[in-house]
Amino acid sequence: MKPLNQLIRPNILNLEPYTCARNEYTGEARAWLDANENSRIDGFNRYPDPLQIEVKTKLGAMRGVDVDRIFLGVGSDECVDITYRVFCRPGMDNVVAIEPTYGMYSVCAAINDVEYRNVRLRDDFSLDVEALFGAVDGNTKVIWICSPNNPTGNAFPMDVLREVASRFDGIVVVDEAYVDFSDAGSMVDVLDEYPNLIVMQTFSKAWASAALRLGIAFASREIISVFNNVKYPYNINILTQRQALSVLESADVIRKVVEELVAARGKLGERLSALECVRRVHPSDANFLLVEVTDAGALYEFLKSCGVIVRNRSRVALCGNCLRITVGTDEENDLLIEKMTEYGN
Ligand SMILES: *Cc1c(COP(=O)(O)O)cnc(C)c1O
């Protein structure tokens, strides 16, 4: 890995970060007269903890990561964006990502005026590491890998991800939004071995809290410290912090529901495979199935007319005639199968 100060944009490296009142003094006090809040009306009058220490303490204990190696963002969206803003010089640097993959990496690259390079997965959705490094040059700052990958649904083996992390001299991001639905393991467990590794997770999928907008980045202390200097001071509001604590309390329930979802995914896959209009159900390590059908456009429109909304991915590389279908409630899954049966072929 290149030294971090060669990877971080010079303006960010030289940044004199904003120090907010709640950063400058923490602890107990008899009178809070430092932040120009309205002390006469209780409820939401106080600024929230800018570093969300309570949430991170609980999350860190669960994932086995120290508090100062965790960043919380307004969804993974903020974690993705801040990675560009910290490492990629607009108009100069580039990033390398797999194709097909999650759309936010390329949108955020465009917004930040950073060149985005695609490397196609193999036809079986496996990762061609040589091709990946073929796209890398001296100005490549970040490699994006989503595992389990959206929309293909497969997780890449840990040894492949480790190879990418150890070979690349820049930043490797592994987006593990769907990791809880997979047996492939988490790169969080090997974070210590790779100072250039950022692992992203989210409250939006397994944790059933998409509405909260809470994303997580795990990385080295040094990277997290820079992220903290660059983010909006109070990015995670108090309602989100409180609700996140409460969600983390219900880890046992979540674990059980995730098990049920994984079982339901298997059952749904079998039922789909038996339908006339289905050519292939791709194996999935996530909470959705990528399903190749006879005519994705027509089937999508038919399902929509029945009030069943799926994602048409047929214009995405390697996903010709594919629909991406989230595993729903039993009732939703039954309705989907009923309507697809009705559709015929
Ligand atoms: C759904 C999803 C996310 C979650 O994004 P949030 O902003 O945290 O809701 C992140 N990455 C991938 C690949 C996803 O599919």
Side-chain angles (χ1 to χ4, degrees), residues 22-260:
R22 285 293 170 273
N23 260 342
E24 215 164 76
Y25 179 85
T26 52
E28 295 303 310
R30 292 169 67 191
W32 288 106
L33 304 176
D34 58 344
N36 299 344
E37 298 147 338
N38 182 346
S39 57
R40 298 182 180 215
I41 300 177
D42 278 334
F44 296 99
N45 59 327
R46 300 294 180 187
Y47 282 103
D49 176 3
L51 292 174
Q52 312 97 23
I53 297 300
E54 264 191 277
V55 179
K56 286 176 183 173
T57 302
K58 200 160 235 164
L59 183 64
M62 195 171 290
R63 297 297 202 208
V65 182
D66 289 341
V67 164
D68 54 2
R69 304 187 64 178
I70 305 175
F71 171 83
L72 295 180
V74 180
S76 304
D77 296 340
E78 184 181 4
C79 302
V80 171
D81 187 58
I82 205 167
T83 302
Y84 282 104
R85 291 198 291 143
V86 164
F87 294 109
C88 301
R89 293 168 298 176
M92 294 175 75
D93 290 330
N94 67 74
V95 302
V96 170
I98 56 175
E99 182 190 46
T101 195
Y102 186 48
M104 269 310 280
Y105 317 139
S106 70
V107 171
C108 251
I111 290 169
N112 287 285
D113 192 18
V114 171
E115 184 195 345
Y116 184 85
R117 300 180 175 183
N118 271 325
V119 177
R120 188 76 63 94
L121 295 174
R122 296 195 189 93
D123 287 343
D124 63 358
F125 299 153
S126 64
L127 183 60
D128 185 342
V129 176
E130 294 314 316
L132 194 73
F133 280 93
V136 167
D137 68 16
N139 284 335
T140 304
K141 288 295 185 62
V142 179
I143 293 179
W144 292 98
I145 298 183
C146 183
S147 181
N149 188 34
N150 179 2
T152 56
N154 59 308
F156 303 107
M158 277 258 259
D159 56 325
V160 172
L161 300 177
R162 291 169 77 112
E163 186 190 346
V164 174
S166 55
R167 264 178 72 172
F168 187 45
D169 61 6
I171 301 296
V172 174
V173 180
V174 179
D175 182 344
E176 294 189 340
Y178 300 98
V179 72
D180 297 285
F181 304 103
S182 165
D183 293 327
S186 169
M187 289 295 279
V188 169
D189 297 337
V190 297
L191 204 56
D192 288 342
E193 297 175 45
Y194 306 100
N196 59 335
L197 178 64
I198 301 175
V199 182
M200 292 183 185
Q201 295 183 359
T202 178
F203 278 69
S204 296
K205 306 290 156 65
W207 290 94
S209 301
L212 285 191
R213 308 309 306 129
L214 194 56
I216 312 159
F218 301 100
S220 71
R221 266 170 206 91
E222 292 75 17
I223 291 176
I224 295 303
S225 156
V226 179
F227 279 16
N228 284 335
N229 289 343
V230 170
K231 76 180 182 73
Y232 291 165
Y234 302 105
N235 60 333
I236 310 299
N237 71 68
I238 189 72
L239 289 173
T240 298
Q241 293 193 39
R242 278 188 204 149
Q243 182 60 22
L245 281 171
S246 143
V247 171
L248 289 168
E249 291 286 348
S250 61
D252 290 342
V253 177
I254 299 291
R255 215 165 288 130
K256 184 166 156 285
V257 172
V258 166
E259 267 175 39
E260 289 168 8

